[in-house]
Every structure is written in C-alpha cells, then in structure tokens.
Amino acid sequence: MRTEILKYERIRDLRIDRGLTQADIGELLHVSQNTYSQYEIGEIRYPLDAVITLAKYYNVSVDYLVGLTDETAPYPRKRRQP
C-alpha cells in the first residue's frame, strides 16, 4: 500500500484509470519509465511540453493536471481572427 503523498497525483490517477503503465506514458512523452515515475512522485519537474502533451492526450485542462481546478474539461480554443 502506498502511503506517500504524491505531488502530481492526477497524472498518476489518469494513467491508472486508463489501464496504462508508466512505460506507456514515458513512450508518449519520449522519456524513460523511470523519468516518468519521477514526474509522478514530484521528484523532478515535468516540462511544459510534457504537461501540454498529457492534457491533450487525456483531454483535460492543464489546470486540472496541476491541481488548480477540479474541472476536467479543457478550455475552448480561442478562435483565430481573419
């Protein structure tokens, strides 16, 4: 049983809810399983491009991933001006 408090628990929960391994997500992010594991426990910070990739992959907002909101829905895209 895991007892430590995970800094980025949401990325772990999203991964597990979808039946994915750390190696699966590491491959998506082009990092090793060990590096991704360190992202999940907050041992190392994950880069912004990884946050964006995860938000798109899980179809959630970046704010949700980092715990700033409980709303999972991503924000609507800004329309481009002609």
Side-chain angles (χ1 to χ4, degrees):
M1 184 169 113
R2 212 174 200 150
T3 58
E4 76 269 11
I5 296 173
L6 300 177
K7 187 171 185 178
Y8 298 111
E9 187 170 1
R10 287 194 171 156
I11 65 171
R12 178 182 164 268
D13 291 344
L14 286 165
R15 176 183 58 77
I16 290 172
D17 288 348
R18 285 159 179 79
L20 300 167
T21 65
Q22 290 178 340
D24 294 332
I25 301 302
E27 189 174 316
L28 171 73
L29 299 176
H30 306 288
V31 299
S32 70
Q33 175 274 326
N34 184 57
T35 297
Y36 180 76
S37 172
Q38 291 176 351
Y39 290 165
E40 280 192 4
I41 61 176
E43 213 168 283
I44 58 175
R45 293 182 184 178
Y46 50 117
L48 183 57
D49 62 331
V51 177
I52 293 168
T53 299
L54 290 172
K56 287 179 179 179
Y57 184 76
Y58 292 127
N59 194 33
V60 298
S61 71
V62 170
D63 285 353
Y64 178 77
L65 282 181
V66 298
L68 295 177
T69 184
D70 290 331
E71 292 294 321
T72 59
Y75 302 113
R77 283 197 154 278
K78 189 175 180 179
R79 284 191 255 171
R80 294 184 181 190
Q81 298 297 324

